[in-house]
Amino acid sequence: MPQSQHGVSLACIYQARQRIAGQVLRTPLVHSPALSRRFDAEILLKLETLQPSGAFKLRGATNMIAALIERHGREALEAGVVTASTGNHGRAVAFAASRLGVPATICLSCLVPANKVAAIEALGAEVERVGESQDEAFIEVERLVRERGMTLIPPFDDPLIAAGQGTLGLELMEDAPDLDRVVVGLSGGGLLGGIGMAVKAIRPETRITGVSLSRGAAMWQSLQAGRPVAVEEVGSLADSLGGGIGLDNRCTFGLVREVMDDHFQVSETSIAQAMVDILEHEKLLVEGAAAVGLAALAEHGLEVRGQRVALVLSGNGVALETLDKARQLANR
């Protein structure tokens, strides 16, 4: 598949894999006997929960910071890197910057759970709590870039970020080259877009299924509108899927539109039940955004019988109080 106007190609993803080698874990793809029996299919779980930063975001953040150092030298990042995040990207930038010897500042809205804030601070990054949404936090990021000369590491809308996330797709194709479907949480589109680019370039017939929140699904609403649109950010068990895609989106809107085959929105109840099911039957602690693939299979009755299906368990950043809420909601 050739590189399109979004700037991401299979070659970019292979380059990203070279850059992040030794910094990011190649995560296992494991068979789930319980889910396979439940859906009469071979269900495989991609365990990004095992990344040292706790989520897939480490791939893109490491690739971008390493690429900037490679192209411009470490001195070009002397003022530090900065980003806004719903938690996982901020932690990934803090982790990658620490390993690569670059100072980092992470701007977080008040919607980001306290456990994710603490995890970022523990990595030595400076944290600024700003505004009621990720979009408002980005206003502070723009100020820091403008006034302090810091370098933005965007959460998703950059070819280097999407290519880094796409390394996950390479691993899927190497470990299960005959996959019928990959189910991925959809928010800003860096993860689904990167995975989709890698998978479709290698095996075009594999379906890429996106899963969004029932409310505040910015990328899905933008795709329906045919252009990036703003949506109200709402609280969710899957808080990592919140936030807009940027009205000036240059990369991931086009990338997702190119590679995604189908899409489903899931309710909070379905997310809660999926989180509990994964904990009870797989003995894996996952955040809401990591459980939406299972939520979609259960809520929408996707026809996967006899197929080989990978669910991307994207991260483990769940607070105990959030897990308690999920249990309560699932037991209603």
Side-chain angles (χ1 to χ4, degrees), residues 76-318:
L77 301 181
E78 186 176 357
V81 295
V82 63
T83 196
S85 171
T86 53
N88 285 336
H89 177 64
R91 189 173 177 184
V93 170
F95 190 97
S98 175
R99 280 203 168 179
L100 295 171
V102 175
T105 297
I106 315 299
C107 298
L108 305 173
S109 81
C110 294
L111 290 178
V112 177
N115 68 304
K116 293 188 176 183
V117 178
I120 292 168
E121 291 176 331
L123 292 168
E126 180 181 344
V127 171
E128 292 196 17
R129 294 282 258 176
V130 185
E132 301 296 329
S133 70
Q134 189 171 357
D135 290 341
E136 290 182 18
F138 251 108
I139 295 173
E140 176 65 7
V141 170
E142 291 168 351
R143 185 188 71 81
L144 293 173
V145 169
R146 184 174 62 251
E147 296 182 5
R148 296 190 193 175
M150 303 184 80
T151 298
L152 170 64
I153 308 297
F156 51 85
D157 191 32
D158 187 277
L160 288 169
I161 296 292
Q165 321 306 22
T167 60
L168 193 159
L170 296 181
E171 294 172 16
L172 288 175
M173 287 290 92
E174 290 165 353
D175 292 343
D178 57 348
L179 274 176
D180 295 297
R181 187 191 294 263
V182 182
V183 188
V184 193
L186 177 63
S187 180
L191 179 62
L192 185 145
I195 290 174
M197 175 57 69
V199 169
K200 290 290 189 181
I202 296 169
R203 191 174 191 270
E205 61 267 38
T206 300
R207 293 188 69 80
I208 302 298
T209 297
V211 186
S212 298
L213 303 175
S214 59
R215 297 185 300 153
M219 179 62 80
W220 178 236
Q221 291 188 31
S222 296
L223 290 170
Q224 290 180 304
R227 57 181 173 79
V229 297
V231 300
E232 181 182 357
E233 188 172 347
V234 297
S236 171
L237 291 171
D239 53 88
S240 295
L241 296 186
I245 70 166
L247 296 181
D248 60 345
N249 188 290
R250 297 180 179 87
C251 173
T252 57
F253 176 76
L255 183 57
V256 170
R257 183 164 54 181
E258 181 177 320
V259 302
M260 188 170 71
D261 293 297
D262 52 7
H263 175 271
F264 299 90
Q265 291 178 274
V266 290
S267 68
E268 289 296 298
T269 301
S270 294
I271 296 169
Q273 187 63 60
M275 292 172 69
V276 171
D277 286 350
I278 291 171
L279 180 59
E280 291 185 348
H281 299 296
E282 309 298 329
K283 308 307 177 187
L284 295 170
L285 182 65
V286 299
E287 60 190 81
V292 296
L294 175 55
L297 290 184
E299 180 175 343
H300 294 284
L302 274 67
E303 182 48 63
V304 297
R305 183 174 302 173
Q307 294 183 5
R308 204 173 195 201
V309 179
L311 306 182
V312 179
L313 303 191
S314 53
N316 64 17
V318 58

